[in-house]
Amino acid sequence: MDKDALKKIISHSKEYGFIFPSSEIYEGLNAIYDYAHNGTLLKNNIREYWWKSMVQLNENIVGIDSAIFMHPKTWVASGHVDAFNDPLIDNKDSKKRYRADVLIEEHIEKLNLKIKKEVSKAEKRFKEKFDKKEFLATNPRVKEITKSINEIKSKMVSAFEDDDLVLVKKLIDDLEIKCQVSGTCNWTEVRQFNLMFNTKLGASEDSSMDLYLRPETAQGIFLNYLSVQKTSRMKIPFGIAQTGKAFRNEIVARQFIFRMREFEQMEMQFFIQPGTQEDWFNQWKKKRLKWHLNLGIESDCFRYHDHDKLAHYADAACDIEFLFPFGFKELEGIHSRTDFDLKSHEKLSGKKIQYFDPLLNKNYTPFVLETSIGLDRMFLAIISNSLKTEILEDGTSRNVMNIPKPLAPNKLAFLPLVKKDGLPEYTRNIMKDFIHEINIVFDEKDAIGRRYRRQDAIGTPYCITVDHQTIEDDSFTIRDRESMEQKRINLSELKTIINDELSLNSLLKKLDN
Ligand code: ATP
C-alpha cells in the first residue's frame, strides 16, 4: 500500500479546492467530506457522463429522483433491518475495528499474490516456452496455494451463509490473521452491526415515526417501479436510473472518500424476464467496463471480481475493481437481484407489483439486474489515477492532473499575457464565445509560467494565452496540459478542439461506437 500517494491526493485535493474535510473548524467529522468548487465541477461532470450514457443513450432507460426518506417498512421488506449488517471484530491491543470478511478476503488476496509471484518467476525462467495455463494446473506449490484458497473461501461462505460468527472468528484465528497496527492476533468475538442511520419524522415524541436514512438508492426505484413502467409505457426489458445520496454507518471508514458515511450512488435497475438474468448479467458487466475504459484510463487498472459470498437478494454478483493507491478495491457492483425486492414489497404492502408481458400473454414479477457505482469512489479513482508529479528538464517539478479531458473541472484557462495594453479586456471578450458551452477560467495574476502550473494542478486541459498579436489577427497560443507544447491557433480551430476533445458529447460519441 502506498500511504504517501493517498496522503498526497488528500492534501492536493484540499489545497486546490477539490475536497475539504467537513466541519473543519470544529475539528472535522469522521468520514464526512465536502466538495469544493473544482471538486463539485468534476463530480457534476462524472455524474453527467453516467446519467447521459444511461438515460440519453438508451431509449429503454428512464430516470427518477426519489426521496431520501422512505416508509420504514421499505427496509423491512428489503431485508436491510434484519440483514444490512457488517460482521465487526476488534483487535484488543490496537483497539482498531475491522470487518471480519474483509480481513479474510485480504488474507486470500495475499495468497493470490504468492501465485502471481510464482508465475512471474516461471515466466522469466521458461521465457517464450512458458504456458501459463499448464503451469497453474501442474506446479505443486501453486496447486497447494490454490487448494488452501478454495478451502478458505468455502469455509468463509458457509460460515456467513449459516450466520455462524463463531466459525468466522475461528477461521481468523486458524489463519493467524494479524492486526496491521499492533501485529497481534488478539481478537474479540465477531459481532453483527447494522449500518443504517435512524431518525424521526414528526414533532412530538408519541406521534413521531422512526425512519432510516436510505442506505442505497435502489429501493426508491423498486417502490416506484409500477408507476414508472405505466407512465413511461416501457416494455420489458427496461431500466430505471437514479443518482442520489445514501448513508451508511460504516464500521471502518478510512481511506478518504473511498468509504464515507454519507455518499452518492449512481444506480440503474434493469427489469427483465425471469430466466434471462445470466445473459443480461454478462451484457451489463461488459457494458459497464466499456464505460470506464472509454475514459482512456489504462485497462490494467480495472479487473472483475466475481463474488463467492452473495447478498441475500442476489443469485450472481460481480465487482468492477479499480487499482486505488491502496490496491484493487470495489468501484462498482453488478448484481443479479432476482425478483427478491419486488416480491418482498408486494408481500409486505399487499399491493400487486407485476408486469403483464404481451408477448408471453402472462403476468410475472420481473427479475432485476442492477449496476451500482459510488460517485465519490469514481471521483477518487479519477483523481488518484490522474495526479502525477513530474520532474522537468530544468530540474524543477510540477504537479499535473491528467483528468480525462471532457471531465476536467475547467476545460480552458484564458490568460492575458500581461495585465495591460487592453489584453485582459480583449481576453474577456473572446471568452464570451465559450462561456455558455463549457466551464472556463480567467487568470491574470502572476507570471505566465506560474499560471500554467496552477492550471496543471487542477487538470485544465488547455491554456489559451492572449498576447499583442491576438489583437491584430485573433490568433492565440494554446498550451497542452500533458506535453506542455504550445502552438498558435485561431478561433475556429479552438472550436474544433472543444467539439472533438473537450465536450462531453465527444466522450459519449466514443462510447456509442
Ligand atoms: P463495500 O463492499 O466496499 O462496502 P458494498 O458492496 O457494500 O461496498 P454496494 O452496496 O454494492 O457496496 O454499493 C454500490 C456502490 O456504492 C459500491 O460499489 C461503491 O462504489 C459505493 N459505496 C458503497 N458504500 C460506500 C461508502 N461507504 N462510501 C462511498 N461509496 C460507497
Side-chain angles (χ1 to χ4, degrees), residues 301-358:
C301 296
F302 297 92
R303 73 178 187 195
Y304 289 125
H305 170 228
D306 287 305
H307 279 218
D308 301 305
K309 181 188 148 211
L310 291 173
H312 59 278
Y313 52 76
D315 71 359
C318 173
D319 295 336
I320 294 180
E321 293 188 337
F322 183 78
L323 186 55
F324 288 100
F326 34 84
F328 270 106
K329 295 273 178 229
E330 171 175 346
L331 170 60
E332 167 156 16
I334 294 132
H335 309 127
S336 174
R337 282 184 89 127
T338 67
D339 55 1
F340 174 85
D341 300 87
L342 290 183
K343 276 230 166 102
S344 304
H345 289 305
E346 186 172 67
K347 206 162 146 203
L348 197 63
S349 68
K351 309 260 165 27
K352 203 170 165 203
I353 311 178
Q354 294 213 336
Y355 174 74
F356 175 74
D357 194 324

Short mmCIF file of all heavy atoms in Angstrom, two decimals, residues 301-358:
data_model
loop_
_atom_site.label_atom_id
_atom_site.label_comp_id
_atom_site.label_asym_id
_atom_site.label_seq_id
_atom_site.Cartn_x
_atom_site.Cartn_y
_atom_site.Cartn_z
N CYS A 301 -5.79 -1.09 -14.86
CA CYS A 301 -6.29 -0.53 -13.59
C CYS A 301 -7.63 -1.13 -13.19
O CYS A 301 -8.16 -0.81 -12.12
CB CYS A 301 -6.46 0.98 -13.70
SG CYS A 301 -4.91 1.81 -13.96
N PHE A 302 -8.24 -1.93 -14.07
CA PHE A 302 -9.56 -2.49 -13.77
C PHE A 302 -9.49 -4.01 -13.77
O PHE A 302 -8.72 -4.60 -14.50
CB PHE A 302 -10.58 -2.08 -14.84
CG PHE A 302 -10.81 -0.60 -14.91
CD1 PHE A 302 -10.08 0.19 -15.78
CD2 PHE A 302 -11.76 0.00 -14.10
CE1 PHE A 302 -10.28 1.55 -15.84
CE2 PHE A 302 -11.98 1.37 -14.17
CZ PHE A 302 -11.24 2.14 -15.04
N ARG A 303 -10.33 -4.62 -12.95
CA ARG A 303 -10.49 -6.08 -13.05
C ARG A 303 -11.87 -6.46 -12.50
O ARG A 303 -12.45 -5.73 -11.68
CB ARG A 303 -9.36 -6.81 -12.33
CG ARG A 303 -9.46 -6.74 -10.81
CD ARG A 303 -8.33 -7.55 -10.14
NE ARG A 303 -8.57 -7.59 -8.71
CZ ARG A 303 -7.67 -7.94 -7.82
NH1 ARG A 303 -6.46 -8.28 -8.18
NH2 ARG A 303 -7.98 -7.97 -6.53
N TYR A 304 -12.36 -7.59 -12.98
CA TYR A 304 -13.62 -8.11 -12.43
C TYR A 304 -13.33 -8.94 -11.19
O TYR A 304 -12.30 -9.62 -11.13
CB TYR A 304 -14.29 -9.05 -13.44
CG TYR A 304 -14.88 -8.40 -14.66
CD1 TYR A 304 -14.49 -8.83 -15.94
CD2 TYR A 304 -15.86 -7.43 -14.56
CE1 TYR A 304 -15.05 -8.28 -17.08
CE2 TYR A 304 -16.42 -6.87 -15.71
CZ TYR A 304 -16.02 -7.29 -16.95
OH TYR A 304 -16.58 -6.75 -18.08
N HIS A 305 -14.25 -8.93 -10.27
CA HIS A 305 -14.13 -9.82 -9.11
C HIS A 305 -15.51 -10.44 -8.87
O HIS A 305 -16.43 -9.76 -8.42
CB HIS A 305 -13.65 -9.04 -7.88
CG HIS A 305 -13.73 -9.83 -6.61
ND1 HIS A 305 -14.29 -9.34 -5.46
CD2 HIS A 305 -13.35 -11.10 -6.34
CE1 HIS A 305 -14.24 -10.28 -4.52
NE2 HIS A 305 -13.68 -11.34 -5.03
N ASP A 306 -15.63 -11.71 -9.24
CA ASP A 306 -16.91 -12.39 -9.02
C ASP A 306 -17.06 -12.76 -7.56
O ASP A 306 -16.09 -13.19 -6.93
CB ASP A 306 -16.99 -13.64 -9.91
CG ASP A 306 -17.20 -13.26 -11.36
OD1 ASP A 306 -18.17 -12.53 -11.63
OD2 ASP A 306 -16.38 -13.65 -12.21
N HIS A 307 -18.25 -12.55 -7.03
CA HIS A 307 -18.46 -12.78 -5.59
C HIS A 307 -18.66 -14.26 -5.25
O HIS A 307 -19.38 -14.96 -5.94
CB HIS A 307 -19.72 -12.06 -5.13
CG HIS A 307 -19.48 -10.62 -4.87
ND1 HIS A 307 -20.07 -9.95 -3.84
CD2 HIS A 307 -18.71 -9.71 -5.52
CE1 HIS A 307 -19.66 -8.69 -3.86
NE2 HIS A 307 -18.85 -8.52 -4.88
N ASP A 308 -18.03 -14.67 -4.16
CA ASP A 308 -18.33 -16.00 -3.61
C ASP A 308 -19.44 -15.87 -2.58
O ASP A 308 -20.31 -16.71 -2.47
CB ASP A 308 -17.09 -16.58 -2.91
CG ASP A 308 -15.93 -16.67 -3.88
OD1 ASP A 308 -16.12 -17.30 -4.93
OD2 ASP A 308 -14.86 -16.11 -3.61
N LYS A 309 -19.37 -14.76 -1.82
CA LYS A 309 -20.35 -14.56 -0.75
C LYS A 309 -21.43 -13.63 -1.31
O LYS A 309 -21.18 -12.46 -1.58
CB LYS A 309 -19.62 -13.89 0.43
CG LYS A 309 -20.46 -13.63 1.63
CD LYS A 309 -19.68 -12.79 2.64
CE LYS A 309 -20.66 -11.91 3.39
NZ LYS A 309 -20.08 -10.65 3.79
N LEU A 310 -22.61 -14.18 -1.55
CA LEU A 310 -23.67 -13.38 -2.19
C LEU A 310 -24.58 -12.74 -1.15
O LEU A 310 -24.84 -13.33 -0.10
CB LEU A 310 -24.50 -14.27 -3.11
CG LEU A 310 -23.79 -14.77 -4.37
CD1 LEU A 310 -24.65 -15.77 -5.12
CD2 LEU A 310 -23.40 -13.62 -5.28
N ALA A 311 -25.06 -11.53 -1.47
CA ALA A 311 -26.02 -10.87 -0.59
C ALA A 311 -27.34 -11.67 -0.63
O ALA A 311 -27.56 -12.46 -1.55
CB ALA A 311 -26.25 -9.45 -1.06
N HIS A 312 -28.20 -11.41 0.38
CA HIS A 312 -29.42 -12.21 0.50
C HIS A 312 -30.34 -12.11 -0.73
O HIS A 312 -31.15 -12.98 -0.97
CB HIS A 312 -30.20 -11.80 1.76
CG HIS A 312 -30.59 -10.36 1.77
ND1 HIS A 312 -29.73 -9.35 2.16
CD2 HIS A 312 -31.74 -9.74 1.44
CE1 HIS A 312 -30.34 -8.19 2.06
NE2 HIS A 312 -31.56 -8.39 1.63
N TYR A 313 -30.19 -11.05 -1.52
CA TYR A 313 -31.11 -10.85 -2.63
C TYR A 313 -30.55 -11.31 -3.98
O TYR A 313 -31.25 -11.24 -4.99
CB TYR A 313 -31.49 -9.35 -2.73
CG TYR A 313 -30.26 -8.45 -2.77
CD1 TYR A 313 -29.49 -8.34 -3.92
CD2 TYR A 313 -29.85 -7.74 -1.65
CE1 TYR A 313 -28.36 -7.55 -3.95
CE2 TYR A 313 -28.71 -6.93 -1.67
CZ TYR A 313 -27.99 -6.84 -2.83
OH TYR A 313 -26.86 -6.06 -2.86
N ALA A 314 -29.28 -11.76 -4.02
CA ALA A 314 -28.64 -11.93 -5.33
C ALA A 314 -28.42 -13.39 -5.72
O ALA A 314 -28.23 -14.24 -4.86
CB ALA A 314 -27.30 -11.20 -5.32
N ASP A 315 -28.47 -13.66 -7.04
CA ASP A 315 -28.06 -15.00 -7.50
C ASP A 315 -26.75 -14.95 -8.27
O ASP A 315 -26.22 -15.98 -8.67
CB ASP A 315 -29.18 -15.73 -8.27
CG ASP A 315 -29.45 -15.14 -9.63
OD1 ASP A 315 -28.80 -14.14 -10.00
OD2 ASP A 315 -30.33 -15.65 -10.34
N ALA A 316 -26.22 -13.75 -8.47
CA ALA A 316 -24.87 -13.58 -9.02
C ALA A 316 -24.45 -12.14 -8.76
O ALA A 316 -25.30 -11.24 -8.72
CB ALA A 316 -24.86 -13.85 -10.53
N ALA A 317 -23.17 -11.95 -8.56
CA ALA A 317 -22.68 -10.58 -8.32
C ALA A 317 -21.22 -10.49 -8.74
O ALA A 317 -20.45 -11.44 -8.58
CB ALA A 317 -22.81 -10.22 -6.85
N CYS A 318 -20.89 -9.33 -9.30
CA CYS A 318 -19.51 -9.12 -9.73
C CYS A 318 -19.15 -7.66 -9.44
O CYS A 318 -19.97 -6.77 -9.63
CB CYS A 318 -19.42 -9.39 -11.23
SG CYS A 318 -17.83 -8.97 -11.91
N ASP A 319 -17.95 -7.45 -8.97
CA ASP A 319 -17.47 -6.07 -8.79
C ASP A 319 -16.56 -5.72 -9.94
O ASP A 319 -15.80 -6.58 -10.42
CB ASP A 319 -16.64 -5.95 -7.51
CG ASP A 319 -17.46 -6.21 -6.26
OD1 ASP A 319 -18.69 -6.05 -6.32
OD2 ASP A 319 -16.85 -6.57 -5.23
N ILE A 320 -16.61 -4.46 -10.34
CA ILE A 320 -15.52 -3.94 -11.16
C ILE A 320 -14.58 -3.29 -10.16
O ILE A 320 -14.99 -2.36 -9.44
CB ILE A 320 -16.02 -2.94 -12.21
CG1 ILE A 320 -16.91 -3.66 -13.23
CG2 ILE A 320 -14.82 -2.26 -12.90
CD1 ILE A 320 -17.45 -2.79 -14.32
N GLU A 321 -13.39 -3.84 -10.05
CA GLU A 321 -12.44 -3.30 -9.08
C GLU A 321 -11.47 -2.36 -9.79
O GLU A 321 -11.16 -2.54 -10.97
CB GLU A 321 -11.66 -4.42 -8.42
CG GLU A 321 -12.53 -5.29 -7.54
CD GLU A 321 -11.73 -6.30 -6.71
OE1 GLU A 321 -10.60 -6.64 -7.11
OE2 GLU A 321 -12.26 -6.76 -5.69
N PHE A 322 -11.00 -1.38 -9.02
CA PHE A 322 -10.06 -0.40 -9.57
C PHE A 322 -8.79 -0.41 -8.74
O PHE A 322 -8.85 -0.65 -7.53
CB PHE A 322 -10.71 1.00 -9.55
CG PHE A 322 -9.84 2.05 -10.16
CD1 PHE A 322 -9.73 2.16 -11.53
CD2 PHE A 322 -9.11 2.91 -9.36
CE1 PHE A 322 -8.91 3.11 -12.11
CE2 PHE A 322 -8.27 3.88 -9.92
CZ PHE A 322 -8.18 3.98 -11.31
N LEU A 323 -7.69 -0.14 -9.40
CA LEU A 323 -6.41 -0.10 -8.69
C LEU A 323 -6.24 1.25 -7.99
O LEU A 323 -5.69 2.20 -8.57
CB LEU A 323 -5.26 -0.38 -9.65
CG LEU A 323 -3.87 -0.52 -9.04
CD1 LEU A 323 -3.83 -1.57 -7.95
CD2 LEU A 323 -2.85 -0.85 -10.12
N PHE A 324 -6.76 1.35 -6.77
CA PHE A 324 -6.61 2.56 -5.96
C PHE A 324 -5.19 2.58 -5.38
O PHE A 324 -4.48 1.58 -5.45
CB PHE A 324 -7.66 2.55 -4.83
CG PHE A 324 -9.07 2.79 -5.30
CD1 PHE A 324 -9.95 1.72 -5.48
CD2 PHE A 324 -9.53 4.07 -5.56
CE1 PHE A 324 -11.25 1.93 -5.91
CE2 PHE A 324 -10.84 4.29 -5.99
CZ PHE A 324 -11.69 3.22 -6.17
N PRO A 325 -4.77 3.70 -4.75
CA PRO A 325 -3.41 3.72 -4.18
C PRO A 325 -3.23 2.65 -3.10
O PRO A 325 -2.13 2.28 -2.78
CB PRO A 325 -3.32 5.11 -3.55
CG PRO A 325 -4.36 5.92 -4.20
CD PRO A 325 -5.44 4.99 -4.63
N PHE A 326 -4.35 2.12 -2.56
CA PHE A 326 -4.24 1.08 -1.52
C PHE A 326 -4.60 -0.29 -2.08
O PHE A 326 -4.99 -1.20 -1.35
CB PHE A 326 -5.11 1.44 -0.32
CG PHE A 326 -6.38 2.15 -0.67
CD1 PHE A 326 -7.51 1.44 -1.04
CD2 PHE A 326 -6.44 3.54 -0.66
CE1 PHE A 326 -8.67 2.09 -1.40
CE2 PHE A 326 -7.62 4.20 -1.01
CZ PHE A 326 -8.74 3.48 -1.38
N GLY A 327 -4.49 -0.46 -3.39
CA GLY A 327 -4.72 -1.78 -4.00
C GLY A 327 -6.03 -1.85 -4.76
O GLY A 327 -6.78 -0.86 -4.84
N PHE A 328 -6.30 -3.03 -5.35
CA PHE A 328 -7.55 -3.24 -6.08
C PHE A 328 -8.71 -3.29 -5.12
O PHE A 328 -8.71 -4.10 -4.18
CB PHE A 328 -7.48 -4.56 -6.86
CG PHE A 328 -6.94 -4.41 -8.24
CD1 PHE A 328 -5.65 -4.86 -8.55
CD2 PHE A 328 -7.70 -3.81 -9.24
CE1 PHE A 328 -5.14 -4.71 -9.83
CE2 PHE A 328 -7.19 -3.66 -10.53
CZ PHE A 328 -5.91 -4.11 -10.82
N LYS A 329 -9.71 -2.45 -5.31
CA LYS A 329 -10.91 -2.44 -4.45
C LYS A 329 -12.14 -2.19 -5.31
O LYS A 329 -12.05 -1.60 -6.39
CB LYS A 329 -10.82 -1.31 -3.42
CG LYS A 329 -9.70 -1.44 -2.42
CD LYS A 329 -10.12 -2.26 -1.23
CE LYS A 329 -9.01 -2.42 -0.28
NZ LYS A 329 -8.62 -3.57 0.26
N GLU A 330 -13.30 -2.53 -4.73
CA GLU A 330 -14.56 -2.37 -5.46
C GLU A 330 -14.82 -0.91 -5.84
O GLU A 330 -14.78 -0.02 -5.01
CB GLU A 330 -15.72 -2.88 -4.60
CG GLU A 330 -17.08 -2.55 -5.18
CD GLU A 330 -18.25 -3.14 -4.41
OE1 GLU A 330 -18.02 -4.02 -3.56
OE2 GLU A 330 -19.38 -2.70 -4.67
N LEU A 331 -15.14 -0.73 -7.13
CA LEU A 331 -15.54 0.58 -7.60
C LEU A 331 -17.03 0.55 -7.94
O LEU A 331 -17.77 1.48 -7.67
CB LEU A 331 -14.71 0.92 -8.86
CG LEU A 331 -15.10 2.13 -9.67
CD1 LEU A 331 -15.03 3.40 -8.84
CD2 LEU A 331 -14.15 2.29 -10.87
N GLU A 332 -17.45 -0.56 -8.53
CA GLU A 332 -18.84 -0.67 -8.98
C GLU A 332 -19.31 -2.11 -8.78
O GLU A 332 -18.51 -3.04 -8.92
CB GLU A 332 -18.90 -0.31 -10.47
CG GLU A 332 -20.19 -0.68 -11.16
CD GLU A 332 -20.48 0.16 -12.40
OE1 GLU A 332 -19.57 0.82 -12.91
OE2 GLU A 332 -21.64 0.12 -12.85
N GLY A 333 -20.59 -2.27 -8.47
CA GLY A 333 -21.14 -3.62 -8.31
C GLY A 333 -22.17 -3.90 -9.40
O GLY A 333 -22.96 -3.02 -9.77
N ILE A 334 -22.13 -5.10 -9.95
CA ILE A 334 -23.16 -5.52 -10.91
C ILE A 334 -23.83 -6.72 -10.26
O ILE A 334 -23.16 -7.72 -9.96
CB ILE A 334 -22.55 -5.85 -12.28
CG1 ILE A 334 -21.99 -4.55 -12.88
CG2 ILE A 334 -23.59 -6.43 -13.25
CD1 ILE A 334 -20.65 -4.64 -13.40
N HIS A 335 -25.13 -6.58 -9.99
CA HIS A 335 -25.80 -7.60 -9.19
C HIS A 335 -27.02 -8.14 -9.91
O HIS A 335 -27.82 -7.35 -10.43
CB HIS A 335 -26.28 -7.02 -7.85
CG HIS A 335 -25.20 -6.29 -7.11
ND1 HIS A 335 -25.34 -4.99 -6.66
CD2 HIS A 335 -23.95 -6.67 -6.76
CE1 HIS A 335 -24.23 -4.62 -6.05
NE2 HIS A 335 -23.37 -5.61 -6.10
N SER A 336 -27.14 -9.46 -9.91
CA SER A 336 -28.37 -10.06 -10.41
C SER A 336 -29.26 -10.24 -9.18
O SER A 336 -29.04 -11.12 -8.37
CB SER A 336 -28.01 -11.40 -11.06
OG SER A 336 -29.19 -12.06 -11.41
N ARG A 337 -30.25 -9.34 -9.03
CA ARG A 337 -31.01 -9.25 -7.78
C ARG A 337 -32.26 -10.12 -7.77
O ARG A 337 -33.08 -9.98 -6.87
CB ARG A 337 -31.43 -7.79 -7.52
CG ARG A 337 -30.33 -6.92 -7.00
CD ARG A 337 -30.81 -5.52 -6.67
NE ARG A 337 -31.30 -5.42 -5.32
CZ ARG A 337 -30.89 -4.51 -4.43
NH1 ARG A 337 -30.01 -3.60 -4.75
NH2 ARG A 337 -31.40 -4.47 -3.21
N THR A 338 -32.43 -10.93 -8.76
CA THR A 338 -33.61 -11.81 -8.91
C THR A 338 -34.91 -10.99 -8.78
O THR A 338 -34.91 -9.80 -9.10
CB THR A 338 -33.61 -12.97 -7.87
OG1 THR A 338 -33.78 -12.43 -6.56
CG2 THR A 338 -32.33 -13.77 -7.95
N ASP A 339 -35.99 -11.62 -8.26
CA ASP A 339 -37.23 -10.85 -8.05
C ASP A 339 -37.42 -10.57 -6.57
O ASP A 339 -38.51 -10.27 -6.10
CB ASP A 339 -38.43 -11.63 -8.63
CG ASP A 339 -38.53 -13.04 -8.03
OD1 ASP A 339 -37.68 -13.39 -7.17
OD2 ASP A 339 -39.44 -13.79 -8.45
N PHE A 340 -36.32 -10.70 -5.81
CA PHE A 340 -36.40 -10.61 -4.36
C PHE A 340 -37.10 -9.32 -3.89
O PHE A 340 -38.05 -9.36 -3.12
CB PHE A 340 -34.99 -10.70 -3.75
CG PHE A 340 -35.01 -10.47 -2.26
CD1 PHE A 340 -35.27 -11.52 -1.39
CD2 PHE A 340 -34.83 -9.19 -1.74
CE1 PHE A 340 -35.32 -11.30 -0.01
CE2 PHE A 340 -34.88 -8.96 -0.37
CZ PHE A 340 -35.13 -10.03 0.49
N ASP A 341 -36.63 -8.17 -4.38
CA ASP A 341 -37.14 -6.90 -3.84
C ASP A 341 -38.61 -6.67 -4.20
O ASP A 341 -39.43 -6.37 -3.33
CB ASP A 341 -36.30 -5.73 -4.34
CG ASP A 341 -34.86 -5.88 -3.92
OD1 ASP A 341 -34.09 -6.54 -4.66
OD2 ASP A 341 -34.48 -5.39 -2.85
N LEU A 342 -38.94 -6.85 -5.48
CA LEU A 342 -40.33 -6.58 -5.89
C LEU A 342 -41.28 -7.54 -5.18
O LEU A 342 -42.35 -7.15 -4.71
CB LEU A 342 -40.48 -6.71 -7.41
CG LEU A 342 -39.81 -5.61 -8.24
CD1 LEU A 342 -40.08 -5.82 -9.72
CD2 LEU A 342 -40.26 -4.22 -7.83
N LYS A 343 -40.90 -8.80 -5.06
CA LYS A 343 -41.74 -9.79 -4.38
C LYS A 343 -41.92 -9.43 -2.90
O LYS A 343 -43.02 -9.53 -2.36
CB LYS A 343 -41.12 -11.19 -4.50
CG LYS A 343 -41.45 -11.90 -5.79
CD LYS A 343 -41.96 -13.33 -5.52
CE LYS A 343 -42.61 -13.94 -6.73
NZ LYS A 343 -41.72 -14.90 -7.42
N SER A 344 -40.85 -9.02 -2.25
CA SER A 344 -40.94 -8.68 -0.82
C SER A 344 -41.85 -7.47 -0.61
O SER A 344 -42.65 -7.44 0.32
CB SER A 344 -39.58 -8.33 -0.24
OG SER A 344 -38.69 -9.34 -0.45
N HIS A 345 -41.72 -6.48 -1.50
CA HIS A 345 -42.59 -5.30 -1.35
C HIS A 345 -44.04 -5.67 -1.64
O HIS A 345 -44.96 -5.14 -1.01
CB HIS A 345 -42.13 -4.17 -2.28
CG HIS A 345 -40.84 -3.54 -1.85
ND1 HIS A 345 -40.66 -3.02 -0.59
CD2 HIS A 345 -39.66 -3.37 -2.48
CE1 HIS A 345 -39.42 -2.54 -0.47
NE2 HIS A 345 -38.79 -2.75 -1.61
N GLU A 346 -44.23 -6.56 -2.58
CA GLU A 346 -45.59 -7.00 -2.90
C GLU A 346 -46.21 -7.68 -1.68
O GLU A 346 -47.33 -7.39 -1.28
CB GLU A 346 -45.53 -7.98 -4.08
CG GLU A 346 -46.90 -8.38 -4.60
CD GLU A 346 -46.77 -9.20 -5.89
OE1 GLU A 346 -46.25 -10.32 -5.83
OE2 GLU A 346 -47.18 -8.69 -6.94
N LYS A 347 -45.42 -8.52 -1.04
CA LYS A 347 -45.91 -9.28 0.11
C LYS A 347 -46.23 -8.34 1.29
O LYS A 347 -47.31 -8.40 1.88
CB LYS A 347 -44.82 -10.28 0.53
CG LYS A 347 -45.35 -11.48 1.24
CD LYS A 347 -44.29 -12.58 1.19
CE LYS A 347 -44.38 -13.38 2.48
NZ LYS A 347 -43.14 -14.06 2.77
N LEU A 348 -45.29 -7.46 1.60
CA LEU A 348 -45.48 -6.63 2.80
C LEU A 348 -46.53 -5.54 2.58
O LEU A 348 -47.25 -5.18 3.50
CB LEU A 348 -44.14 -6.01 3.22
CG LEU A 348 -44.10 -5.46 4.63
CD1 LEU A 348 -44.31 -6.59 5.65
CD2 LEU A 348 -42.77 -4.79 4.92
N SER A 349 -46.63 -5.01 1.36
CA SER A 349 -47.59 -3.93 1.12
C SER A 349 -48.97 -4.47 0.76
O SER A 349 -49.98 -3.77 0.86
CB SER A 349 -47.10 -3.04 -0.03
OG SER A 349 -47.14 -3.77 -1.24
N GLY A 350 -49.03 -5.70 0.31
CA GLY A 350 -50.31 -6.26 -0.14
C GLY A 350 -50.75 -5.73 -1.50
O GLY A 350 -51.85 -5.99 -1.96
N LYS A 351 -49.87 -4.96 -2.16
CA LYS A 351 -50.19 -4.40 -3.50
C LYS A 351 -49.52 -5.25 -4.57
O LYS A 351 -48.37 -5.64 -4.42
CB LYS A 351 -49.67 -2.97 -3.64
CG LYS A 351 -50.07 -2.05 -2.51
CD LYS A 351 -51.23 -1.19 -2.90
CE LYS A 351 -51.93 -0.50 -1.76
NZ LYS A 351 -51.21 -0.19 -0.56
N LYS A 352 -50.29 -5.49 -5.65
CA LYS A 352 -49.73 -6.31 -6.71
C LYS A 352 -48.65 -5.52 -7.49
O LYS A 352 -48.92 -4.42 -7.98
CB LYS A 352 -50.88 -6.69 -7.65
CG LYS A 352 -50.60 -7.92 -8.45
CD LYS A 352 -51.86 -8.40 -9.16
CE LYS A 352 -51.44 -9.40 -10.21
NZ LYS A 352 -52.35 -9.57 -11.28
N ILE A 353 -47.47 -6.07 -7.55
CA ILE A 353 -46.40 -5.41 -8.32
C ILE A 353 -45.92 -6.39 -9.38
O ILE A 353 -45.00 -7.16 -9.14
CB ILE A 353 -45.21 -4.99 -7.42
CG1 ILE A 353 -45.68 -4.24 -6.17
CG2 ILE A 353 -44.21 -4.15 -8.20
CD1 ILE A 353 -44.57 -3.86 -5.21
N GLN A 354 -46.61 -6.38 -10.52
CA GLN A 354 -46.25 -7.35 -11.55
C GLN A 354 -46.20 -6.69 -12.92
O GLN A 354 -46.55 -5.52 -13.08
CB GLN A 354 -47.27 -8.47 -11.55
CG GLN A 354 -47.19 -9.27 -10.26
CD GLN A 354 -47.52 -10.73 -10.46
OE1 GLN A 354 -48.19 -11.07 -11.41
NE2 GLN A 354 -47.04 -11.57 -9.57
N TYR A 355 -45.81 -7.47 -13.89
CA TYR A 355 -45.74 -6.96 -15.25
C TYR A 355 -46.55 -7.89 -16.13
O TYR A 355 -46.43 -9.12 -16.04
CB TYR A 355 -44.27 -6.96 -15.70
CG TYR A 355 -44.07 -6.60 -17.16
CD1 TYR A 355 -44.23 -5.28 -17.59
CD2 TYR A 355 -43.75 -7.58 -18.09
CE1 TYR A 355 -44.05 -4.95 -18.93
CE2 TYR A 355 -43.56 -7.25 -19.43
CZ TYR A 355 -43.72 -5.93 -19.84
OH TYR A 355 -43.54 -5.61 -21.16
N PHE A 356 -47.39 -7.29 -16.96
CA PHE A 356 -48.10 -8.12 -17.93
C PHE A 356 -47.29 -8.13 -19.22
O PHE A 356 -47.06 -7.08 -19.83
CB PHE A 356 -49.53 -7.63 -18.20
CG PHE A 356 -50.18 -8.44 -19.28
CD1 PHE A 356 -50.63 -9.74 -19.04
CD2 PHE A 356 -50.31 -7.94 -20.58
CE1 PHE A 356 -51.17 -10.52 -20.04
CE2 PHE A 356 -50.86 -8.71 -21.60
CZ PHE A 356 -51.30 -10.00 -21.33
N ASP A 357 -46.83 -9.32 -19.57
CA ASP A 357 -45.99 -9.44 -20.76
C ASP A 357 -46.87 -9.75 -21.97
O ASP A 357 -47.40 -10.86 -22.08
CB ASP A 357 -44.95 -10.54 -20.53
CG ASP A 357 -43.83 -10.48 -21.56
OD1 ASP A 357 -44.12 -10.15 -22.73
OD2 ASP A 357 -42.67 -10.75 -21.20
N PRO A 358 -47.03 -8.77 -22.89
CA PRO A 358 -47.93 -9.01 -24.01
C PRO A 358 -47.41 -10.10 -24.95
O PRO A 358 -48.19 -10.77 -25.62
CB PRO A 358 -47.98 -7.66 -24.73
CG PRO A 358 -46.83 -6.88 -24.23
CD PRO A 358 -46.41 -7.46 -22.92
#
